[in-house]
Amino acid sequence: MRVRIAICDPLPVFRRGVQALLRDAGIDAEAPDDLLAWLRDEQQKMVILTVRTPGDWTLLDELRRAHEDTLVIAILDEASVSSHVRALTTGAIAAIPRDATARTMREAFVAALDGQALVPLRVLRALTSLPHAVQDPATPTEVERAWLRRLAEGTTVNELASHAGYSERMMYRLLRELYTKIGVSSRVEALLRARDAGWLQ
């Protein structure tokens, strides 16, 4: 089955560079203007997503939840172990530093297309040492905790949506999903639960 590949990066030069790199390996990639619209059909997809801003982390998390069959490779500005772990636990199948060599990028893409993931040993060790609570599906992601913190500080849903790069309607939907995930039915209950669980710190 053919996999469609999209590159999502704010810099046209970087997008074209990655497209050329993949083309040299015999892999075609697209650079859609509207990534979420591009994802709507049923064909298997891979997204190469640059993760730099809070909105990018939110998008990565949304891709995991709304398009769980989509393979996401995160391109990271900061190549630290913590940023790799965050990308992988937020939904990426691989994370590559933005300044990675062409060979490293090609190997990661080919491995992902083959159903494999290349993970640096130091990142693998960090992942395997995570406490089990982090992997609890009822525990909010770091992005979701940031939303709860902002709500606790008095941020309106409209302001939160603007900051996260969503419409207000989409933000309400994401918050409803979060409330369901943590077992509550309202913002007040969510903030009380977050306070008791230590998610607001």
Side-chain angles (χ1 to χ4, degrees):
M1 181 179 188
R2 182 175 177 269
V3 177
R4 290 181 67 193
I5 301 173
I7 301 164
C8 184
D9 185 277
L11 298 176
V13 172
F14 185 84
R15 291 195 303 267
R16 286 194 291 271
V18 174
Q19 283 178 300
L21 172 77
L22 293 176
R23 198 166 33 252
D24 289 347
I27 302 169
D28 291 325
E30 305 167 56
D33 292 327
D34 185 341
L35 180 63
L36 296 177
W38 181 85
L39 287 166
R40 286 192 186 119
D41 70 45
E42 297 299 317
Q43 192 169 358
Q44 176 69 55
K45 304 280 181 45
M46 176 187 288
V47 175
I48 299 160
L49 175 67
T50 296
V51 184
R52 306 174 72 186
T53 67
D56 297 332
W57 286 105
T58 300
L59 177 58
L60 174 58
D61 185 54
E62 182 185 349
L63 290 174
R64 174 185 60 85
R65 287 186 290 115
H67 305 277
E68 60 185 33
D69 293 335
T70 298
L71 307 174
V72 181
I73 296 179
I75 305 294
L76 305 172
D77 266 353
E78 180 200 350
S80 67
V81 170
S82 62
S83 62
H84 274 81
V85 168
R86 181 179 179 190
L88 295 171
T89 56
T90 303
I93 58 159
I96 307 169
R98 195 172 178 82
D99 61 356
T101 65
R103 179 181 173 186
T104 298
M105 285 196 170
R106 216 172 13 248
E107 288 173 350
F109 300 146
V110 171
L113 290 172
D114 196 33
Q116 306 293 319
L118 299 180
V119 180
L121 284 176
R122 59 199 174 100
V123 175
L124 182 62
R125 288 189 180 114
L127 282 168
T128 57
S129 68
L130 287 175
H132 291 296
V134 172
Q135 299 171 8
D136 181 352
T139 301
T141 65
E142 184 52 43
V143 169
E144 291 167 337
R145 287 182 212 176
W147 294 347
L148 291 168
R149 282 193 292 270
R150 290 180 70 90
L151 290 173
E153 292 165 359
T155 301
T156 66
V157 174
N158 185 37
E159 291 168 339
L160 183 61
S162 178
H163 180 266
Y166 291 113
S167 68
E168 187 174 7
R169 181 177 175 186
M170 173 63 86
M171 195 74 243
Y172 271 109
R173 184 174 73 78
L174 292 172
L175 289 172
R176 277 195 308 273
E177 290 175 3
L178 171 58
Y179 300 160
T180 300
K181 173 180 176 176
I182 64 176
V184 300
S185 58
S186 70
R187 183 187 317 186
V188 171
E189 289 177 358
L191 294 179
L192 290 172
R193 171 95 173 88
R195 182 198 64 194
D196 294 344
W199 297 332
L200 301 180
Q201 300 171 0

